Amino acid sequence: MNEKREMIRVEKLNKSFGDLHVLKDIDLEVKESDVVVLIGASGSGKSTLLRCLNFLEIKDNGTVILEGEKIEKETHNLNKVREKVGMVFQHFNLFPHKTVLGNVIEAPTQVKGVEKKKAIEEGKSLLDKVGLSDKYDVYPSKLSGGQKQRVAIARALAMKPDVMLFDEPTSALDPELVGEVLLTMKELAKEGMTMVVVTHEMGFAKEVADWVVYMHDGKIVEYGHPSEMFENPKEERTKAFLNSVL
Ligand code: ADP
Ligand code: MG
């Protein structure tokens, strides 16, 4: 047996905002070092699903199991749980009054109590990794969008998460800056990070995803390996969606 460890399991997850039923009986499994790419039209519930995975949104019912542990807001400190699940957003939300390095060491020092010297050392090494070794002391306003997003990735990694969630990390970028962010994500995937990625970058999905999940109207319509999903989708809805984006 060489079964990979289960990192996330979602069962029959439902979420509504008022009368709007946004997630409908979602089942999802993510194993260690898997890259799962979520695709689907705007409004299909992709962001809400990601936010339920790190408890920025609380499900109405169903189960979210992280690394074998069923997480409930009544029994768990969600801030603590969230440390295990890093998230990168479309808009980078960097602290404008802190330097690049200051942004990266903020959470480890303030939330986790990591010693500043150690946080700086680790923060620099993360910034080196995302190709920003010459930007430690620069303020975010001096960076390009692609550089800002790479800082955001380093900042999330600084908490040493077991899973990384990406919600359209390149959608706000000028086209010429998309590649550098995707490359950083590819390297992270290659190192074995477990990742759930919402993106419209189908090239990235084809190349990097282990699994592609197609959502429509709050439901998972189809999932499969990228080769199956892109070459031979089974569902008419998936075909129509892929025709519209490919
Ligand atoms: P996607 O990321 O696939 O575009 P979302 O998960 O953002 O989809 O949204 C799914 C649906 O839920 C949309 O109709 C959106 O307007 C609605 N929605 C998302 N967040 C909220 C919220 N906080 N309050 C009310 N409605 C919301
Ligand atoms: Mg979204």
Side-chain angles (χ1 to χ4, degrees):
M1 289 288 286
N2 190 17
E3 190 70 355
K4 283 201 276 183
R5 187 158 72 107
E6 185 181 279
M7 300 301 280
I8 300 175
R9 171 183 287 278
V10 170
E11 287 168 353
K12 294 248 174 301
L13 182 78
N14 283 276
K15 174 72 183 174
S16 296
F17 294 108
D19 292 338
L20 188 65
H21 194 178
V22 174
L23 296 178
K24 301 169 182 168
D25 283 337
I26 297 287
D27 291 323
L28 181 73
E29 190 188 13
V30 183
K31 293 195 164 171
E32 186 165 35
S33 80
D34 273 359
V35 177
V36 175
V37 169
L38 284 181
I39 61 174
S42 172
S44 57
K46 305 178 301 295
S47 293
T48 305
L49 176 55
L50 276 197
R51 293 167 67 82
C52 285
L53 296 181
N54 85 338
F55 308 93
L56 289 174
E57 297 289 354
I58 304 301
K59 67 187 164 78
D60 297 330
N61 54 63
T63 312
V64 181
I65 300 170
L66 278 183
E67 301 179 67
E69 191 171 346
K70 186 171 164 184
I71 309 296
E72 297 288 352
K73 69 174 192 305
E74 292 79 11
T75 51
H76 285 80
N77 175 348
L78 296 182
N79 287 324
K80 203 78 201 156
V81 173
R82 226 170 268 135
E83 291 177 14
K84 292 279 155 215
V85 186
M87 187 145 172
V88 172
F89 302 88
Q90 181 174 343
H91 299 286
F92 335 107
N93 312 321
L94 299 177
F95 304 116
H97 58 288
K98 289 188 184 294
T99 64
V100 163
L101 186 59
N103 268 274
V104 174
I105 68 168
E106 176 71 10
T109 55
Q110 298 303 312
V111 179
K112 266 190 166 174
V114 175
E115 193 198 336
K116 194 163 175 195
K117 185 162 168 276
K118 180 152 191 262
I120 287 174
E121 198 178 294
E122 290 177 350
K124 284 181 175 172
S125 129
L126 285 169
L127 286 167
D128 297 348
K129 191 168 127 139
V130 300
L132 295 172
S133 45
D134 55 340
K135 302 289 183 201
Y136 300 158
D137 300 323
V138 166
Y139 284 86
S141 62
K142 299 277 185 253
L143 299 177
S144 72
Q147 290 170 330
K148 283 182 198 167
Q149 192 59 298
R150 286 184 282 140
V151 175
I153 293 171
R155 183 177 58 173
L157 292 174
M159 291 298 273
K160 304 197 169 128
D162 294 336
V163 178
M164 285 280 284
L165 309 177
F166 293 85
D167 193 357
E168 300 199 31
T170 61
S171 293
L173 300 178
D174 292 336
E176 72 273 18
L177 303 177
V178 167
E180 63 191 63
V181 172
L182 294 180
L183 185 65
T184 300
M185 292 167 63
K186 259 181 236 176
E187 285 168 358
L188 203 54
K190 224 188 282 170
E191 288 172 15
M193 178 58 80
T194 307
M195 298 166 50
V196 183
V197 182
V198 175
T199 186
H200 299 291
E201 294 292 333
M202 296 300 149
F204 176 86
K206 281 183 186 170
E207 190 184 334
V208 184
D210 296 292
W211 296 97
V212 178
V213 174
Y214 170 59
M215 282 183 73
H216 177 77
D217 193 20
K219 294 190 198 120
I220 292 179
V221 172
E222 184 168 355
Y223 70 92
H225 293 295
S227 52
E228 303 160 29
M229 286 285 279
F230 291 115
E231 310 296 330
N232 193 19
K234 292 182 189 64
E235 302 291 333
E236 286 307 319
R237 280 204 185 284
T238 318
K239 284 179 201 168
F241 176 76
L242 290 174
N243 279 331
S244 75
V245 294
L246 288 176

